[in-house]
Amino acid sequence: MSYSTVKYKYLLLLVGIFIMLASDANLLHAQNQDSCKLVVQGFVRDSTSNEALGYAHIHVSEAPEKSVDSDEQGRYVLRGLCPNKTYTLICYHVSCERVTLVIRPTTNQMLSILLPHDAHVTSGVVITEKAGQAPSSQARSELSGRALSYVRGQSLGQAMVGLSGVSVLQTGAGIAKPVIHGMHSNRVLILNNGIRQEGQQWGSEHAPEIDPFIASKITVIKGANTVRYGSDAIAGVILVEPSNLRDSVGFGGELHVVGQSNNRQGVISGSFDQNLRRLPALRWRLQGTASMAGNTRTPNYWMKNTGVKEYNFSFAAAWTKDRWDADVFYSQFNTDLGIFSGAHIGNLTDLERAFNSPTPLDSSGFSYTIARPYQHVTHELVKTRFRFSLSNNWIMRATYARQYNLRYEYDKHRPLSDSLAGLNRPELQYEITTHTGDLNFEHQMIHHFTGSYGVSYMRQGNTYTGRYFIPNYRNYAFGVYGIERWVKDSVITIEAGVRYDYRHLQVFKWENQVIISPVHEFSNLSGTVGAVFTIRPTCILSLNAGSAWRAPAVNELYSEGLHHGAAAVEYGDRNLKTERSLNLIANLDVHKHEKFSFEWSVYAYLIRDFIYLRPVLPPTLTIRGAFPTFRYSQADAFLRGMDFSGQLNVWKGLFCDARVTLLRAWNLEDKKWLIGMPADRGTLGLRYAFEDFKRIKGLQFGTNVTYVNKQFRAPINEDFVPPPSAYTLLGLQVGSSLDFGGFAMEWDITASNLLNVRYRDYMNRFRYYSDEMGRNVRVHVRIPITQKSPANHSH
């Protein structure tokens, strides 16, 4: 056979093969048009803390049109994938390192994407959330990972003190409420697992009834957030966010053990979650906490009757399918809080002595016993949520929640009648039940726009038994809102939103031998406009301006008499008007730089008819004792300030951290400073991150100095006691994980007020009577319970 004959035979063979492959390819393409319906979904998580990462971008290299962003809960859904085809997924998140995955799906599957957090961010004592994480112009601060571990065992309010722009309003040693830009209580909304916390939060000594161990992340969104969350969020919103339920087959959990030296507190908290192989759509978690603490010690004495007992538990479950999922959540919070007995004084002479005495008039040693006066609080939350993907771009969420809050308040002295005293009943009992419903529609990127629209409803009823302080009432609220964001090449984001709210308050009060039932109705519009400019990948500038309003709360309108927990007599004013606020916030965020990172925010609030609690001199003598007196008043106010947090990489492994918070609050009507505003404060810290050594991983040692200035910017001679002096505190932190062949136990030790400094804080309502807590050493151990499964794997 000649060479040319062989050549033509091979040429014909190659042509035949080409024709066969082309016909097969056409047939395969036709088949793929029908078979490319696979769905890959799951959650994007932090590989260290396992917390969900919202607004991460998942890029599909082979099919860019199928790329998606994870939602607020970190959930993503990739649709229309072809079987047995290889896809390269590149996942981005603003505060994490990029991760690339290669998948070849054969069926619908779940896929967890784990992103390692940026080393410069996770190593800090305080983690600051980047303003551009979500396409939003609101400034955020976040407590998670090791920073959250360092405050385990503290209350929610106390845990947030280290965040930039956040301070705390205290009533004694055990009760704390977060303060944002000088505002607290009804001006700060707290969302517990996505539900607006509703209880007796109007009271300065009514701390949030939330178990901090539920949270894997606590986020503070600073500035007016009334468009998305409701009319009261003038100062900001606090998001208490649990980790997402397990989305891979197996079980896991963790056990926390905490001990404190000062009040000899012991805490144990655990959780267990599971995803069954035979029922992969079902995920569930059980969690619980028990805590007990005795009297708090100042540098020189014990504070009588300041013990705390707490027991909480929660249950969560979810059912997840391709286009929809549903979940339920139940939590119960229970606590007994001792009220410092040295704040309940019998007569005016002794009250004046207590104001001027360096030590309380009522003293004791250490004890776990909680006697009168004290409070018992129970709070229940039931939540159901349904999520449905209407299309590739639109998602619907429907949420219903019921909350029940029960509060018993026991006065210092029992009734004079022996028969009544023997019953040991509370002198005051509150019961408040709240029903809320929310319907939200959210769309992904459509022609550079993302947005959400929704309606919300609330129905609330409060009753009281015993001594009068606030009346029975019914409260109804309705709101409707819309928010749109325009994103251009991830460089510019412009957002705008508007909301309408209506509130109806009816009280039932015994007055002049008859029951009166006045009705208060409030309605108004809120709006916001903002922009985010990505100057460079490491530098983001955000601007936000908004209008907000807040209806006066029932205590501001109708309180009258002894406010037991605050040890004060308070009077409301039923003629108070609606607060109206104009605010402006600018935030500059420089991060992921080799040597430094920082976030700097400046803000201003112009508030018309600002409601505040004004001291009324002299104190009031009642049959239950002598107490400072306060009255709710209104005035136009101007609040402005600055928050700064930064980190400098001094040397390999050595970091310097700094935080500064400044606030100026001016009463425009009376031409003087507003009372009850936080003083300037700053913190400077050094920490060293050691290299891993054998079983010791991530060892860090740090120390910090906190300086809080005297509050010079307060009205002169208008308070019962002048503002206390400035003070300086020294703190220490050390912690690491111990690797025992795949089993990693984490531990940390923190010390506060290490030099045992005697001081009083202006934002503590019991500063009239007592010093603050002395030296305290806290030890925390976290033991994970894990069934190992391959990382970034599907079912």
Side-chain angles (χ1 to χ4, degrees):
M1 182 181 295
S2 66
Y3 172 75
S4 60
T5 304
V6 172
K7 180 175 70 174
Y8 286 126
K9 282 186 176 182
Y10 277 110
L11 181 61
L12 290 174
L13 178 62
L14 289 173
V15 170
I17 292 173
F18 177 79
I19 294 174
M20 181 179 66
L21 290 175
S23 62
D24 286 347
N26 289 332
L27 178 60
L28 180 61
H29 178 75
Q31 290 175 339
N32 283 346
Q33 297 303 307
D34 295 328
S35 61
C36 293
K37 297 181 179 179
L38 295 185
V39 175
V40 174
Q41 61 181 311
F43 290 89
V44 182
R45 298 181 181 275
D46 185 306
S47 62
T48 302
S49 65
N50 202 40
E51 69 188 48
L53 298 174
Y55 306 103
H57 182 69
I58 300 93
H59 177 76
V60 184
S61 298
E62 291 77 10
E65 71 281 359
K66 300 184 186 299
S67 302
V68 298
D69 293 333
S70 64
D71 64 15
E72 189 175 354
Q73 287 76 38
R75 189 174 190 268
Y76 75 93
V77 181
L78 296 173
R79 304 185 188 279
L81 302 184
C82 302
N84 296 308
K85 181 178 179 179
T86 299
Y87 293 95
T88 303
L89 309 182
I90 305 175
C91 189
Y92 309 81
H93 188 265
V94 68
S95 56
C96 295
E97 299 176 15
R98 178 185 305 183
V99 164
T100 300
L101 301 174
V102 177
I103 64 172
R104 188 182 178 91
T106 57
T107 61
N108 295 340
Q109 64 184 53
M110 298 288 292
L111 176 69
S112 295
I113 300 178
L114 305 180
L115 300 184
H117 228 75
D118 182 270
H120 288 20
V121 177
T122 57
S123 59
V125 174
V126 173
I127 300 176
T128 301
E129 181 71 13
K130 308 307 167 195
Q133 175 184 330
S136 171
S137 58
Q138 298 286 357
R140 294 170 175 244
S141 295
E142 178 186 306
L143 195 64
S144 62
R146 177 160 288 179
L148 185 59
S149 179
Y150 282 155
V151 295
R152 290 294 191 189
Q154 297 184 13
S155 69
L156 180 66
Q158 292 167 332
M160 298 170 60
V161 173
L163 290 175
S164 175
V166 180
S167 54
V168 65
L169 174 67
Q170 290 183 274
T171 305
I175 303 174
K177 303 188 71 167
V179 179
I180 301 175
H181 294 167
M183 294 175 278
H184 56 84
S185 299
N186 286 313
R187 297 186 186 93
V188 176
L189 294 189
I190 299 177
L191 296 186
N192 181 10
N193 198 4
I195 300 301
R196 172 173 168 155
Q197 182 79 4
E198 288 289 346
Q200 305 287 357
Q201 69 265 23
W202 48 262
S204 62
E205 92 294 3
H206 297 172
E209 301 96 347
I210 298 174
D211 180 2
F213 282 96
I214 288 180
S216 66
K217 179 173 65 174
I218 301 172
T219 303
V220 177
I221 307 176
K222 293 176 283 188
N225 285 269
T226 57
V227 171
R228 176 62 182 88
Y229 298 108
S231 63
D232 291 344
I234 288 180
V237 174
I238 297 171
L239 309 179
V240 181
E241 303 173 86
S243 60
N244 285 338
L245 296 175
R246 188 181 184 91
D247 55 5
S248 59
V249 169
F251 63 84
E254 58 185 20
L255 178 67
H256 294 268
V257 180
V258 181
Q260 292 193 152
S261 65
N262 185 285
N263 55 7
R264 304 178 192 178
Q265 182 189 36
V267 184
I268 184 167
S269 181
S271 65
F272 180 85
D273 58 347
Q274 188 176 32
N275 189 325
L276 299 173
R277 183 177 300 277
R278 295 183 179 180
L279 202 60
L282 177 64
R283 301 169 287 150
W284 65 274
R285 174 188 296 133
L286 185 64
Q287 180 268 345
T289 301
S291 172
M292 184 171 71
N295 290 343
T296 297
R297 181 168 177 80
T298 71
N300 297 324
Y301 52 84
W302 295 97
M303 297 177 64
K304 186 176 180 180
N305 199 48
T306 51
V308 179
K309 294 179 181 178
E310 192 174 303
Y311 53 97
N312 318 306
F313 65 91
S314 66
F315 173 78
W319 186 274
T320 304
K321 302 300 288 184
D322 292 344
R323 296 185 64 87
W324 65 271
D325 59 70
D327 62 71
V328 296
F329 176 78
Y330 174 83
S331 68
Q332 186 178 117
F333 175 95
N334 303 273
T335 186
D336 289 325
L337 288 164
I339 304 297
F340 175 48
S341 61
H344 287 244
I345 310 296
N347 57 69
L348 291 173
T349 302
D350 286 345
L351 181 61
E352 190 65 29
R353 285 179 53 218
F355 287 163
N356 297 307
S357 175
T359 60
L361 301 185
D362 197 1
S363 61
S364 73
F366 176 81
S367 174
Y368 284 106
T369 301
I370 298 176
R372 287 170 172 262
Y374 77 96
Q375 299 178 353
H376 170 80
V377 182
T378 294
H379 188 89
E380 289 184 330
L381 166 63
V382 180
K383 166 197 168 184
T384 61
R385 183 187 67 91
F386 177 76
R387 175 188 178 278
F388 183 74
S389 296
L390 301 173
S391 66
N392 289 339
N393 291 320
W394 282 91
I395 298 173
M396 181 198 75
R397 292 185 180 90
T399 306
Y400 164 78
R402 175 189 179 272
Q403 296 178 71
Y404 172 74
N405 187 280
L406 173 67
R407 176 179 291 271
Y408 293 148
E409 299 194 351
Y410 296 82
D411 285 353
K412 184 174 184 179
H413 302 290
R414 296 175 184 264
L416 297 178
S417 169
D418 292 339
S419 59
L420 292 177
L423 297 175
N424 195 30
R425 291 176 177 172
E427 277 63 43
L428 185 55
Q429 172 183 324
Y430 298 111
E431 288 185 82
I432 184 168
T433 303
T434 306
H435 299 268
T436 56
D438 294 275
L439 183 63
N440 173 264
F441 296 88
E442 179 180 312
H443 71 82
Q444 302 292 328
M445 195 71 70
I446 301 176
H447 302 299
H448 299 286
F449 282 92
T450 65
S452 61
Y453 301 84
V455 295
S456 60
Y457 174 76
M458 181 189 75
R459 178 168 62 89
Q460 186 178 78
N462 179 80
T463 62
Y464 83 93
T465 303
R467 169 171 46 82
Y468 175 85
F469 182 66
I470 63 169
N472 297 337
Y473 66 86
R474 291 175 183 166
N475 196 7
Y476 302 90
F478 170 80
V480 57
Y481 69 91
I483 303 171
E484 281 291 338
R485 298 183 180 95
W486 178 79
V487 183
K488 178 63 175 176
D489 300 328
S490 298
V491 175
I492 300 176
T493 298
I494 298 176
E495 66 176 354
V498 64
R499 180 185 180 105
Y500 171 79
D501 280 286
Y502 167 79
R503 300 182 75 93
H504 173 101
L505 172 67
Q506 183 176 18
V507 304
F508 303 90
K509 185 177 185 294
W510 185 262
E511 192 172 274
N512 297 325
Q513 305 303 313
V514 296
I515 295 178
I516 62 171
S517 55
V519 173
H520 300 263
E521 292 185 311
F522 309 93
S523 63
N524 215 324
L525 289 171
S526 304
T528 183
V529 61
V532 180
F533 304 95
T534 303
I535 300 171
R536 53 182 12 181
T538 60
C539 183
I540 298 173
L541 173 67
S542 61
L543 303 171
N544 183 274
S547 66
W549 69 281
R550 183 182 74 89
V554 66
N555 65 306
E556 296 165 336
L557 293 167
Y558 287 99
S559 60
E560 183 180 344
L562 176 60
H563 191 173
H564 162 269
V569 173
E570 297 178 5
Y571 294 100
D573 182 351
R574 64 187 69 183
N575 296 313
L576 293 177
K577 304 173 185 177
T578 299
E579 283 185 352
R580 290 178 172 85
S581 168
L582 296 175
N583 67 282
L584 177 66
I585 297 181
N587 189 80
L588 179 63
D589 180 16
V590 176
H591 60 282
K592 287 190 176 181
H593 192 277
E594 290 183 2
K595 296 296 293 183
F596 64 88
S597 63
F598 69 86
E599 184 173 16
W600 180 41
S601 297
V602 293
Y603 60 87
Y605 297 84
L606 180 61
I607 305 178
R608 183 179 179 183
D609 295 320
F610 180 81
I611 301 172
Y612 66 101
L613 200 57
R614 176 175 55 87
V616 178
L617 282 68
T620 298
L621 180 63
T622 74
I623 60 172
R624 292 177 175 83
F627 300 96
T629 306
F630 299 84
R631 184 177 297 276
Y632 285 100
S633 302
Q634 280 188 306
D636 294 345
F638 181 52
L639 283 69
R640 66 193 190 280
M642 179 202 78
D643 302 325
F644 175 85
S645 62
Q647 173 184 280
L648 176 65
N649 188 352
V650 180
W651 188 60
K652 182 180 179 181
L654 180 64
F655 298 90
C656 177
D657 301 307
R659 294 191 307 275
V660 177
T661 298
L662 306 178
L663 172 65
R664 305 290 180 264
W666 186 251
N667 185 324
L668 294 172
E669 292 187 6
D670 296 337
K671 309 299 182 184
K672 58 187 178 184
W673 299 109
L674 274 174
I675 196 166
M677 292 292 166
D680 297 340
R681 65 169 53 225
T683 299
L684 185 65
L686 281 175
R687 58 187 166 81
Y688 186 79
F690 295 84
E691 294 184 358
D692 293 347
F693 177 74
K694 295 184 178 180
R695 297 184 183 276
I696 303 175
K697 310 292 184 182
L699 176 62
Q700 288 193 24
F701 176 86
T703 184
N704 62 76
V705 176
T706 297
Y707 174 78
V708 179
N709 199 11
K710 179 178 179 178
Q711 183 51 290
F712 294 101
R713 298 171 182 86
I716 299 174
N717 298 325
E718 291 190 15
D719 203 346
F720 299 96
V721 175
S725 301
Y727 60 89
T728 303
L729 304 179
L730 179 66
L732 179 146
Q733 310 89 28
V734 60
S736 77
S737 62
L738 301 176
D739 188 357
F740 299 100
F743 169 77
M745 182 187 76
E746 299 175 7
W747 65 273
D748 54 80
I749 299 173
T750 62
S752 58
N753 194 4
L754 199 58
L755 301 181
N756 210 28
V757 174
R758 177 178 174 267
Y759 72 101
R760 299 191 182 191
D761 191 277
Y762 180 69
M763 293 299 289
N764 192 331
R765 292 195 67 174
F766 281 1
R767 65 181 173 85
Y768 297 154
Y769 315 102
S770 174
D771 297 335
E772 297 288 334
M773 178 185 285
R775 182 186 298 112
N776 184 41
V777 178
R778 178 195 139 281
V779 179
H780 167 235
V781 176
R782 175 184 175 270
I783 303 173
I785 305 168
T786 306
Q787 182 187 43
K788 295 185 63 176
S789 59
N792 292 328
H793 247 64
S794 64
H795 288 303

